[in-house]
C-alpha cells in the first residue's frame, strides 16, 4: 500500500485532495464536479441507491450492505426528478465517492453547513467502521451516509451534496480553542425557529424558498431568549469568527453541565473564513441549536460552543469565499436554500 508524505501533520488543502483524485485514492461513479473540492475538504455526493431503514446502526465487523439486509424496510432509487426523504425517518444512501486511502492518512466527515442549517442529521458510514464519520487509515471501500431529516422533509437527487470529507495527515496538534458566545443584540430579529409542518426543502434549489414558510423570527423578551425543548433554532455568534488561511476549525458542543442544550450538526470552518485576505472580515458563525428535555433561557454572550483550530499541511490553493461560497461575510443567515428574510 502506498504511503502519503505531508510537509507537516495537518488537514489536507485543496491541491493535495486533487492529487489524491489524480492518483486514484479517491474515485467516483461519475466525474467529479468542478467545484467539489473545497479549500480543505471534498463534498460527497449521493448516488441513486438508498434504503429506508428501521433504525440507525454501525456495521460492526461487517460490511454496511450486509447490515442493511437486516434493517432495511425497502430500497429506494433516487431519480433525477428527485425523491423526498421524510422528516422523522432514517435512510442510508450510498455515496458516489469511494476511497483507497494511503497509509498516513485518515479522514473525517461532517455535515455541510447548509445541511445543518436545515436540521438534517447526517453521518458517514464505512464497511467495518467502528464509529460514525471517521474513516480509518488505509480504508479501501465504499462510503455510505445515514440521513435523518428532523424538522423539514427534503428533496434530493443523485449528486446532491449533504456532507464533506476532510483528510488528515499524521496527528495534527490542536492549536487553540476559543469559546463562542451567542448574539442576542444584533438586531430586532435575534434568531429563527423552524416551523413544524412546513413544506419540503429542495436541497438543490438555491434561493428557491420563501423563508417565512419555514421559519419563525425570534425577538427578545426581557433580554432573554427561551429555548423550547424539541425545537430547532438558528442563532449567530456574538463575536466575529476568523480562521487563518493555513488553519481550519471545528465547532464542538460545550460540556452539557453548563446547559441542557446543544449546538450541533455542522461545525467545520474553512481556511480564510472571516479574514480580510479572503474579503470576509466581519463574518459571524451561525449556530444550530436544540435543547434537550427542559426549556432553557439564553442570555446575550452566553458561551454555547467552542472552536478548535487545527493546522493545514500547507496553505490551500484557494480560500473560502474565492469562488461561489454562500456564507462569507454572513450575519444571522439561514441556509442558502432560502431567500433573504
Ligand atoms: O456550524 C457552522 C459551520 C460552518 N459555518 C460557516 C463556516 C464555513 O466555512 C462556512 C461554509 O461551510 P460549508 O462549506 O460546510 O458550507 P456549504 O453548505 O458547503 O456552503 P458553501 O456553498 O458556501 O460551500 O459556513 C457556520 O457559520 N456554522
Amino acid at each position: 500500500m502506498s504511503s502519503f508524505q505531508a510537509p507537516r501533520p495537518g488537514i489536507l488543502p485543496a491541491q493535495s485532495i486533487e492529487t489524491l483524485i489524480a492518483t486514484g485514492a479517491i474515485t467516483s461513479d461519475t466525474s467529479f464536479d468542478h467545484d467539489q473540492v473545497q479549500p480543505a475538504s471534498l463534498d460527497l455526493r449521493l448516488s441513486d441507491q438508498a434504503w429506508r431503514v428501521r433504525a440507525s446502526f454501525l456495521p460492526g465487523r461487517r460490511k454496511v450492505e450486509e447490515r442493511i439486509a437486516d434493517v432495511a424496510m425497502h430500497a429506494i432509487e433516487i431519480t433525477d426528478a428527485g425523491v423526498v426523504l421524510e422528516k422523522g425517518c432514517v435512510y442510508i444512501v450510498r455515496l458516489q465517492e469511494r476511497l483507497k486511502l494511503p497509509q498516513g492518512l485518515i479522514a473525517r466527515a461532517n455535515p455541510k453547513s447548509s445541511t445543518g442549517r436545515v436540521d438534517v442529521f447526517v453521518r458517514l458510514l464505512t464497511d467495518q467502521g467502528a464509529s460514525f464519520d471517521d474513516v480509518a487509515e488505509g480504508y479501501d471501500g465504499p462510503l455510505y451516509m445515514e440521513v435523518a431529516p428532523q424538522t423539514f422533509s427534503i428533496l434530493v437527487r443523485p449528486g446532491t451534496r449533504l456532507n464533506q470529507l476532510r483528510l488528515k495527515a499524521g496527528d495534527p496538534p490542536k492549536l487553540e480553542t476559543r469559546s463562542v458566545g451567542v448574539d442576542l443584540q444584533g438586531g430586532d430579529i435575534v434568531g429563527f425557529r423552524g416551523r413544524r409542518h412546513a413544506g419540503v426543502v429542495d436541497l438543490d434549489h438555491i434561493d428557491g424558498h420563501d423563508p417565512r414558510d419555514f421559519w419563525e423570527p425570534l425577538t427578545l423578551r426581557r433580554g432573554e431568549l427561551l429555548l423550547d425543548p424539541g425545537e430547532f433554532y438558528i442563532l449567530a455568534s456574538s463575536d466575529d469568527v476568523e480562521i487563518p488561511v493555513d488553519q481550519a476549525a471545528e465547532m464542538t458542543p460545550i460540556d452539557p453541565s453548563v446547559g441542557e442544550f446543544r449546538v450541533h450538526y455542522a461545525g467545520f470552518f474553512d481556511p480564510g473564513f472571516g479574514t480580510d485576505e479572503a474579503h470576509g472580515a466581519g463574518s459571524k458563525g451561525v449556530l444550530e441549536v436544540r435543547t434537550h428535555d427542559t426549556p432553557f433561557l439564553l442570555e446575550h454572550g452566553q458561551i454555547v460552543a467552542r472552536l478548535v483550530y487545527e493546522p493545514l499541511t500547507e496553505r490551500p490553493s484557494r480560500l473560502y469565499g474565492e469562488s461561489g461560497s454562500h456564507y462569507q461575510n454572513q450575519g444571522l443567515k439561514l441556509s442558502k436554500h432560502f431567500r433573504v428574510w
Side-chain angles (χ1 to χ4, degrees):
M1 189 182 296
S2 59
S3 97
F4 188 87
Q5 301 302 327
R8 62 175 188 219
I11 299 172
L12 300 198
Q15 61 271 29
S16 304
I17 298 173
E18 279 157 359
T19 304
L20 291 175
I21 291 173
T23 54
I26 307 174
T27 52
S28 172
D29 292 353
T30 61
S31 52
F32 287 90
D33 295 342
H34 73 280
D35 59 349
Q36 209 177 327
V37 178
Q38 304 273 322
S41 60
L42 173 73
D43 283 353
L44 301 175
R45 297 171 301 175
L46 303 187
S47 73
D48 59 359
Q49 210 181 357
W51 299 264
R52 162 96 159 86
V53 292
R54 281 187 283 128
S56 173
F57 63 88
L58 275 167
R61 300 222 172 99
R62 295 159 71 189
K63 293 192 171 188
V64 172
E65 288 193 32
E66 288 168 359
R67 282 297 277 142
I68 285 177
D70 303 332
V71 295
M73 296 164 72
H74 62 96
I76 299 169
E77 186 192 348
I78 301 183
T79 58
D80 290 338
V83 161
V84 173
L85 304 183
E86 303 281 350
K87 71 170 177 176
C89 299
V90 185
Y91 303 86
I92 304 292
V93 187
R94 187 178 62 78
L95 297 170
Q96 295 193 27
E97 292 73 23
R98 202 185 150 91
L99 297 180
K100 190 172 185 174
L101 285 184
Q103 286 302 320
L105 274 192
I106 57 164
R108 185 164 166 77
N110 66 278
K112 282 164 69 73
S113 189
S114 303
T115 310
R117 291 178 204 213
V118 287
D119 201 18
V120 177
F121 188 55
V122 300
R123 302 192 280 197
L124 189 81
L125 287 167
T126 52
D127 286 343
Q128 287 100 23
S131 58
F132 293 108
D133 286 331
D134 286 323
V135 188
E137 187 175 5
Y139 180 73
D140 182 357
L143 301 173
Y144 300 84
M145 185 166 58
E146 177 193 320
V147 185
Q150 305 287 298
T151 296
F152 311 120
S153 294
I154 55 172
L155 184 66
V156 299
R157 301 172 184 77
T160 300
R161 307 179 198 175
L162 295 178
N163 68 349
Q164 59 197 2
L165 195 71
R166 276 168 288 146
L167 294 120
K168 263 189 207 184
D171 193 9
K174 308 269 180 267
L175 298 173
E176 199 182 341
T177 301
R178 289 196 195 166
S179 299
V180 180
V182 66
D183 184 15
L184 298 182
Q185 293 176 351
D188 289 345
I189 298 179
V190 296
F192 296 97
R193 179 171 48 220
R195 286 186 191 280
R196 292 182 177 274
H197 316 295
V200 172
V201 181
D202 180 342
L203 291 189
D204 298 308
H205 201 177
I206 312 298
D207 286 331
H209 306 74
D210 184 341
R212 288 169 173 77
D213 293 333
F214 294 83
W215 300 96
E216 275 172 56
L218 301 173
T219 50
L220 290 190
R221 297 274 300 154
R222 296 181 204 89
E224 296 169 329
L225 183 68
L226 180 70
L227 302 180
D228 275 321
E231 301 291 330
F232 177 69
Y233 297 87
I234 294 288
L235 303 171
S237 65
S238 47
D239 293 328
D240 294 346
V241 173
E242 204 177 312
I243 313 295
V245 294
D246 58 353
Q247 296 178 22
E250 186 164 2
M251 188 145 63
T252 58
I254 47 162
D255 179 348
S257 64
V258 292
E260 268 307 300
F261 60 91
R262 188 182 153 101
V263 170
H264 67 146
Y265 297 164
F268 178 62
F269 282 66
D270 294 274
F273 179 83
T275 61
D276 235 351
E277 205 172 335
H279 311 292
S283 300
K284 303 273 188 191
V286 163
L287 313 166
E288 300 97 36
V289 179
R290 216 175 236 299
T291 49
H292 298 311
D293 302 329
T294 43
F296 193 84
L297 272 178
L298 273 185
E299 285 177 31
H300 177 73
Q302 187 164 345
I303 304 303
V304 292
R306 299 198 199 291
L307 271 174
V308 181
Y309 289 69
E310 283 185 303
L312 267 54
T313 58
E314 55 187 328
R315 190 192 154 106
S317 51
R318 51 184 169 275
L319 300 176
Y320 188 74
E322 281 182 350
S323 58
S325 310
H326 295 91
Y327 305 124
Q328 191 68 292
N329 305 108
Q330 70 182 356
L332 174 66
K333 171 111 173 68
L334 295 169
S335 74
K336 58 192 173 191
H337 317 105
F338 300 98
R339 293 190 278 277
V340 176
W341 185 266

